[in-house]
């Protein structure tokens, strides 16, 4: 089996920035530092921060008054920022600039008298944050004939929805291109595989696997190297390996090493 590393893959700029901000905050602040929602959907990144003393919470109400809190790359709603201010919390905002642009768009639409439909998973922190803006709504809340704007969760399929962040789009295009170029070489779809490294909770990781399948390949998701052992790669001649935007490079490298006996 031939192994091909698909590029770009792994940490995007927004995740890299948020993780760096979290470590800097932990180095700077004495006492417990809180993180609002898991900083990114990756157990090893979260685990490293927890072992340095970060406590992750789902609500600012769980943070003692006056403490420091980091808002994750997924962002949050204006009401949460207001509550944090009321409680005297020191807020470090690691919201990704692409997500901030989504919030700005919703506010602009509202100022122009328009509501904004949010396309995405309603339970995802990014989408919940958007829905906290005035004038944001879910598709099912639309009134017939209403003129609206649209903001798409940054990690959805760029081809299907458009408007997602460039990091997501570049990683998705690289997977599609890899599968298409292998099929063009004459390989059958059942002999082309894509292995996506990332947490089962990571939305963008799941999308990469869906895109590989839609392009005609077989695909698998693994959280780490031990998951590779349970996969039956029989019939696969070429395996592209990629990773989600929240997957650290050392986890990716471990998986590549785990695959080396199969080459
Ligand atoms: S996937 Fe895109 S929007 Fe999400 S953190 Fe990364 S760069 Fe930002």
């Amino acid at each position: 089996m031939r192994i091909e590393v698909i590029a770009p893959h792994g940490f995007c700029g927004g995740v890299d920035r948020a993780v760096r901000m979290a470590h800097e905050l932990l180095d700077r602040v004495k006492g417990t530092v809180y993180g609002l929602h898991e900083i990114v959907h990756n157990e090893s990144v979260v685990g490293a921060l927890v072992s340095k003393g970060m406590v992750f919470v789902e609500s600012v109400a769980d943070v003692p008054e006056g403490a420091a809190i980091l808002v994750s790359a997924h962002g949050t709603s204006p009401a949460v920022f207001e509550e944090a201010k009321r409680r005297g919390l020191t807020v470090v905002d690691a919201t990704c600039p692409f997500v901030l642009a989504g919030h700005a768009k919703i506010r602009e639409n509202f100022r122009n008298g328009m509501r904004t439909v949010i396309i995405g998973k309603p339970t995802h922190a990014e989408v919940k944050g958007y829905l906290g803006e005035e004038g944001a709504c879910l598709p099912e809340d639309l009134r017939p004939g209403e003129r609206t704007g649209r903001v798409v969760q940054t990690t959805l399929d760029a081809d299907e929805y458009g408007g997602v962040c460039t990091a997501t789009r570049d990683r998705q295009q690289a997977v599609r291109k890899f599968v298409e170029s292998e099929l063009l070489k004459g390989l059958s779809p059942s002999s082309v595989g894509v292995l996506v490294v990332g947490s089962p909770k990571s939305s963008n990781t799941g999308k990469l696997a869906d895109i590989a399948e839609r392009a005609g390949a077989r695909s698998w998701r693994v959280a780490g190297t031990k998951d590779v052992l349970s996969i039956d790669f029989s019939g696969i001649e070429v395996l592209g390996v990629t990773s989600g935007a929240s997957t650290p490079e050392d986890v990716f490298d471990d998986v590549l090493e785990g695959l080396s006996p199969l080459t």
Side-chain angles (χ1 to χ4, degrees), residues 11-16 18 40 73-74 94-99 126 130 153-155 164-169 171 204 245-246:
F11 267 20
C12 58
V15 166
D16 191 46
V40 288
H74 299 126
T95 307
C96 175
F98 285 111
V99 177
E126 180 188 335
Y130 292 146
Q153 186 182 338
T154 50
T155 46
V164 301
C165 82
T166 49
T168 299
R169 199 190 55 213
R171 281 154 183 71
N204 72 83
S246 48

Side-chain angles (χ1 to χ4, degrees), residues 8 22 31 49 53 58 81 86 101 112 146-147 149 162 166 188 196 211 223 245:
L49 291 167
E58 284 308 308
F81 283 109
R86 264 200 311 276
N112 294 331
E146 184 183 0
R147 197 172 71 90
T166 49
S188 72
V196 188
I211 284 165

Side-chain angles (χ1 to χ4, degrees), residues 4 42 95 167 204 233:
E4 295 278 347
N42 185 278
T95 307
N204 72 83
F233 290 112

Side-chain angles (χ1 to χ4, degrees), residues 77-235:
S77 67
V80 171
F81 283 109
E82 274 156 34
E83 192 186 345
K85 200 168 158 196
R86 264 200 311 276
R87 294 174 61 81
L89 307 183
T90 301
V91 177
V92 175
D93 186 4
T95 307
C96 175
F98 285 111
V99 177
L100 288 176
H103 282 268
K105 187 77 206 151
I106 303 167
R107 286 179 204 158
E108 185 192 322
N109 288 341
F110 186 69
R111 279 196 304 274
N112 294 331
M114 250 188 341
R115 292 205 300 164
T116 305
V117 187
I118 311 300
I119 313 290
K121 203 169 158 193
T123 52
H124 193 282
E126 180 188 335
V127 173
K128 282 191 192 164
Y130 292 146
L131 289 169
E133 293 284 351
E134 272 190 291
C137 65
L138 289 168
E140 54 267 36
D141 299 328
L142 279 182
R143 303 171 197 123
E146 184 183 0
R147 197 172 71 90
T148 57
R150 194 177 89 133
V151 164
V152 178
Q153 186 182 338
T154 50
T155 46
L156 293 192
D157 184 337
D159 269 8
E160 213 170 317
Y161 299 99
V164 301
C165 82
T166 49
T168 299
R169 199 190 55 213
D170 292 349
R171 281 154 183 71
Q172 293 177 351
Q173 273 174 359
V175 166
R176 216 174 277 119
K177 229 165 111 187
F178 163 77
V179 176
E180 284 167 4
S181 72
E182 293 302 330
L183 294 177
L184 277 172
K185 286 179 196 165
L187 289 180
S188 72
S190 59
S191 62
V192 179
V194 172
L195 185 72
V196 188
V197 186
S199 162
K201 284 193 254 173
S202 159
S203 161
N204 72 83
T205 301
K207 284 286 168 288
L208 292 175
D210 293 348
I211 284 165
E213 284 187 18
R214 242 181 289 138
R218 289 163 67 195
S219 81
W220 299 269
R221 288 176 68 167
V222 291
T225 193
K226 69 174 183 334
D227 298 341
V228 171
L229 303 172
S230 56
I231 297 176
D232 177 8
F233 290 112
S234 49

